[in-house]
């Protein structure tokens, strides 16, 4: 009987965690600010407690719901009243600009000089002279604007106008033909069979992944 209770409370915990995550949205999976981070950890801890709470499972369940509602409410508040965002999420801090490091701003952001150097290297900047502006975002990431002569060359710099690119569409996955995707591209299985034969394959079962671009160019990755 006790094992059954554990199973039921575990299922209840998983269901509650799933529903709260849906209400809070994908923000919990993206780069988090400090409050989102501690909220996620706390809700996870309460969910673990709920899974093994056999006597009064409603107590951790209520706590989970409250934490979820508070986080959701703060998100709505920041959306409805933009002025509250700097109090809820914090504000970006300029750490470096025009070759000058702002020590006071680093202290305000609680960012050590060694940590700043690590963040720069993680963004691919090993020489501070290559940086025009560095901003420490409220989610803990460092955004860097390189100096003009260190920025990557773009087609616009070379007066080029490349054709618009679109996302490739999967038409074969794990040996199965995705008919709906083919139809969306205005293609059919007859076209696909012809393309397979042109690339020396007998059937879609030999293909692990097949993707088609906007020009109907089929790229195939065979089974290994």
């Amino acid at each position: 009987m006790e094992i059954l209770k554990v199973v039921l409370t575990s299922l209840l915990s998983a269901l509650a965690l799933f529903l709260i995550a849906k209400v809070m949205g994908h923000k919990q999976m993206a780069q988090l600010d400090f409050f989102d981070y501690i909220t996620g950890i706390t809700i996870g801890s309460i969910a673990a407690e709920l899974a093994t709470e056999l006597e009064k499972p409603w107590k951790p369940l209520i706590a989970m719901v409250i934490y979820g509602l508070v986080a959701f409410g703060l998100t709505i508040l920041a959306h409805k009243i933009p002025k509250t965002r700097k109090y809820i999420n914090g504000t970006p801090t300029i750490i470096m600009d025009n070759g000058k490091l702002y020590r006071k701003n680093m202290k305000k952001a609680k960012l050590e000089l060694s940590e700043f150097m690590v963040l720069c290297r993680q963004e691919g900047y090993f020489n501070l002279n290559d940086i025009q502006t560095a901003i420490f975002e409220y989610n803990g990431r460092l955004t860097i604007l390189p100096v003009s002569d260190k920025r990557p060359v773009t087609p616009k710099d070379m007066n080029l106008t490349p054709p618009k690119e679109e996302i490739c569409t999967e038409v074969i996955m794990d040996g199965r033909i995705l008919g709906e995707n083919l139809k969306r591209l205005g293609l059919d299985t007859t076209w696909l069979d012809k393309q397979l034969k042109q690339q020396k394959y007998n059937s879609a079962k030999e293909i692990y992944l097949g993707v088609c671009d906007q020009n109907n160019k089929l790229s195939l990755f065979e089974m290994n």
Side-chain angles (χ1 to χ4, degrees):
M1 189 64 181
E2 187 170 335
I3 295 178
L4 179 60
K5 287 183 178 180
V6 172
V7 171
L8 292 175
T9 53
S10 297
L11 290 174
L12 177 61
S13 174
L15 177 62
L17 202 56
F18 174 78
L19 293 175
I20 290 173
K22 283 293 184 181
V23 170
M24 294 175 69
H26 291 86
K27 187 179 179 182
Q28 281 293 326
M29 296 182 64
Q31 287 293 326
L32 309 178
D33 57 37
F34 179 72
F35 183 77
D36 290 324
Y37 176 73
I38 61 174
T39 299
I41 292 177
T42 304
I43 290 177
S45 299
I46 297 173
E49 181 182 345
L50 171 59
T52 55
E53 177 56 64
L54 305 181
E55 299 299 325
K56 297 178 180 179
W58 54 269
K59 286 186 176 181
L61 179 61
I62 291 175
M64 284 179 66
V65 172
I66 291 174
Y67 267 95
L69 290 176
V70 168
F72 180 70
L74 289 175
T75 300
I76 296 297
L77 181 64
H79 178 72
K80 296 291 185 181
I81 309 176
K83 290 183 179 180
T84 62
R85 290 176 186 172
K86 64 179 180 179
Y87 302 107
I88 297 174
N89 297 326
T91 55
T93 305
I94 296 176
I95 302 299
M96 180 178 179
D97 190 40
N98 287 324
K100 181 180 179 181
L101 280 170
Y102 293 98
R103 185 179 178 185
K104 288 184 178 180
N105 287 358
M106 291 184 70
K107 189 174 181 180
K108 176 184 175 183
K110 297 178 176 63
L111 181 67
E112 296 292 334
L113 189 57
S114 58
E115 293 174 324
F116 172 68
M117 297 297 292
V118 170
L119 292 173
C120 288
R121 290 194 293 271
Q122 287 177 344
E123 293 297 320
Y125 293 90
F126 291 79
N127 188 342
L128 295 185
N129 293 321
D130 294 342
I131 298 174
Q132 172 70 31
T133 305
I135 301 174
F136 191 59
E137 307 290 355
Y138 64 81
N139 60 7
R141 293 199 62 178
L142 189 70
T143 303
I144 294 177
L145 175 68
V147 295
S148 299
D149 58 355
K150 296 294 182 180
R151 297 174 193 171
V153 177
T154 65
K156 185 177 180 181
D157 294 330
M158 303 178 68
N159 295 320
L160 298 176
T161 307
K164 179 182 178 182
E165 292 187 3
E166 296 182 6
I167 298 175
C168 292
T169 303
E170 298 88 356
V171 294
I172 301 174
M173 290 189 73
D174 202 16
R176 294 181 296 106
I177 296 174
L178 305 180
E180 288 295 324
N181 288 359
L182 270 176
K183 186 177 179 181
R184 192 180 305 120
L185 294 170
L187 305 172
D188 55 24
T189 53
T190 302
W191 173 88
L192 183 59
D193 288 338
K194 184 179 179 181
Q195 295 294 318
L196 287 169
K197 287 181 173 57
Q198 286 180 357
Q199 299 192 38
K200 311 300 183 183
Y201 293 104
N202 295 319
S203 71
K205 292 182 179 179
E206 300 176 48
I207 308 302
Y208 184 57
L209 175 65
V211 294
C212 186
D213 64 15
Q214 71 269 23
N215 297 318
N216 292 345
K217 180 181 177 181
L218 184 65
S219 299
L220 301 174
F221 302 87
E222 62 184 27
M223 295 281 191
N224 291 322

